[in-house]
Amino acid sequence: MALFSQVILHIALPVPLRRLFDYLLPSELETDAIDVANTIEKVTIGQRVVVPFGRQTLVGVVLAVDTHTDQDVAKLKPALSFVENQASFDAAQLQLLNWAAEYYQHPIGDVFSMALPGALRSPKTIDEQLPKVLQKCDELPDKQALPKNAKQIHKLYDVIRSGSFTRDELNKKDITSTTIKKFIDKNWAEWTTSGQGSSAVTASHINEGLALNTEQAIAVAAINAVNHHQCFLIDGVTGSGKTEVYLQAIEHRLLNQWQVLVCVPEIGLTPQTIARFKQRFDVPVALWHSAMTDKQRFDTWQQTRSGKARIVIATRSGIFLPFKSLGMIIIDEEHDASFKQQDGFKYHCRSLALYRAHQANIPVVLGSATPSLETLYNVEQGKFSYLQLQRRAGGSQMPTTHLLDLNRCQTQAALGQPLIDEISNQLDKGRQVMLFINRRGFAPVLMCEECHWLTECGRCSSFTTYHKNSNLLICHHCGFQHPTLHQCLGCGSTRMTPVGTGTEQIESNLANLFPATEIVRLDRDSTSKKGEFDDKLNKINAGQPMIIVGTQMIAKGHHFPNVSLVGIVDVDGALFSSDFRAAEKLSQLVVQVAGRAGRGSIKGQVWLQTKFPEHPVIQDLVNNEYKDFAKYALNERKMLSLPPYSHHIILRAESTIPDLGQQWLSNLSGYLSDYEGLSILGPTPAPMTRKAGKFRHMLIIQSQSRPYLHKLVNWLLENLDTIQKDNRIRWSVDVDPVDLS
């Protein structure tokens, strides 16, 4: 046999194992010892390859090729085939993903698989996935030679004479598949791959922007003056015109023929954002988020890779896209927790953006009215440049804040009477009112009035939320659903009553209080169908008097100029959390929601309802600015040696056996307890001890030195199978956690 086995492929596979897998070359590429060096040169790092794995066939990525292996060469299997001769990842992506897998302690094959669009996780080539267009062939006859009464044939003839069209475009022109097939069979037309090239951006592609105030002009000038890696924080009050600063900074990059990535925290922000970007720039603007189909995501991936897409507006996973000429990254609402992936590969988009920008030597712009304490700490340390926008753009004023003590007033529909009166007053003036409550459904729980039994989720340490419209009890943690109970499972009583308030109940009660006023509800339930969210946004932007009721979906980034009053229905639940970040998250949320008021010519007002008006966080929100809270909170974190003045990694363990996770983590902590410079917190039950039938425990490892912490945890994970293997445990690692639940 030829000595082709000397060439070893080191492949990342989409399996939950922290290692590469060694394979031989596919059998059709076997070579002799003389050609080994040439063969290695022909294999491209970043190529996708099909390999056998147990009884499965998997698509992996070649990350190294050489003549060395730690395995017995005789036992290595050959790969089945290379998917194509080109790499699916460029050098910058390979470096980014290798770093991400190492830093976040996640299986490398899973990281590479996640960075591919779904269409490329199968053994199909990139060329096979490219969009096809129908174009005319040289054999297309003169029109006079066509049958005179064949209207469809004449119609398609006229269409393809004018250019090339996708199948969707032909469908919109009412061209039938039969007619298309007839043209192809006669060699009058053919399907070809559409061009993916990019064209130069000129001043004619850019519409004039808004006039900048002094603060905005300084920010734009500072960003545009930089042609190397630098991170800017734009700390701008709500309505201060951060987006206009982004747009004018983007203009400078586009005219220098760069691409720009704009990351937003929520899918809900993309329609409004993309409309504004397309209005300003006559260049290809692409979208990337989880609600897109595999085909749509592949199209964005390919347009980004070819350089055709000049601006990409994306949620967190857009940070992995393969840009041809990336010139700047913008992270809007950088404080938002949704930039941290909470399941599977637990990465943070902001951290990866900073690494990628450093790698490409380009600027990063972070924007927020309520910057995270980690970002403010980096400003304090001189790592980030600080740009402030302290005035609202266009002359609009900051809203007035009112504290409503629910202990001292009558309530209707979960609203204090003074707030109801003010809502009525604003509606009479033709204005819009927004009410925020961070609980969807009708009520958080149903309760028996006889024995006080509550509708609990059988799989979680939680209650099922009552959804009146769908007549269901739903657990918002594991997704369990059950038809609404009309009889207590504890005592058999039929006196079941909803306890607490959700968006459905607020909407229903407001309809009774204000029967002549339109109520628009914005939450995940009311916008689940395609197009519903955009329809509701268009209705709000029409400016007619109405009441908008919503969850966090309405809190971020939206510009509703006719909203004069914002009511925050209930913040008390967040005041007594076990999470040390709770006060920060609450302050950010309240400031962001309040920022929806008075963005037009009307001075807005914010009403904050609470039963704990003397609570220091509430007093801080009412009497001071966010920067005052942040300064106090950073000092508090410093005294307690909490992040960002220290670093955390959480080891989580889940099991169907109640105390097994705690025992498993306790044994692990013993291996770390002798090391200096480490604080071991736990193991403790997670705040939600049981979720989806699994009992959850966690161990927090803390250190002042990030490299030291990573080194020790990396050692622990590498030796985990030797130290302590238990197939009854499902464990995960969370580096730099933002949620302790």
Side-chain angles (χ1 to χ4, degrees), residues 150 166 173 381 384:
T166 65
K173 295 177 183 293
Q381 298 296 305
F384 295 175

Side-chain angles (χ1 to χ4, degrees), residues 698-739:
M698 62 185 191
L699 182 74
I700 302 176
I701 309 170
Q702 176 178 301
S703 176
Q704 302 289 326
S705 169
R706 178 181 273 132
Y708 180 63
L709 176 63
H710 279 255
K711 185 177 179 180
L712 288 177
V713 172
N714 188 50
W715 169 84
L716 188 67
L717 298 181
E718 282 181 354
N719 293 281
L720 203 56
D721 284 348
T722 307
I723 294 170
Q724 188 176 349
K725 185 173 183 179
D726 193 328
N727 292 331
R728 297 171 297 173
I729 293 287
R730 182 182 175 186
W731 58 272
S732 65
V733 184
D734 192 353
V735 176
D736 302 334
V738 298
D739 185 1

Side-chain angles (χ1 to χ4, degrees), residues 167 229 242 253 287 590 650 699 701 740:
R167 186 173 289 277
H229 174 59
K242 292 186 289 295
R253 300 288 154 181
L287 269 180
V590 170
I650 295 182
L699 182 74
I701 309 170
L740 300 182

Side-chain angles (χ1 to χ4, degrees), residues 257-261 303-304 307 309-310 323-328:
Q257 310 311 314
W258 294 99
Q259 295 170 284
V260 177
L261 171 63
Q303 287 176 33
T304 306
R310 290 294 181 170
F323 287 86
K324 184 179 181 182
S325 54
L326 184 59
M328 183 167 67

Side-chain angles (χ1 to χ4, degrees), residues 32 182 188 211 250 291 327 413 462 577 653 663 711:
D32 56 38
K182 190 171 292 185
W188 293 352
I250 289 170
S462 174
S577 170
Q663 295 168 11
K711 185 177 179 180

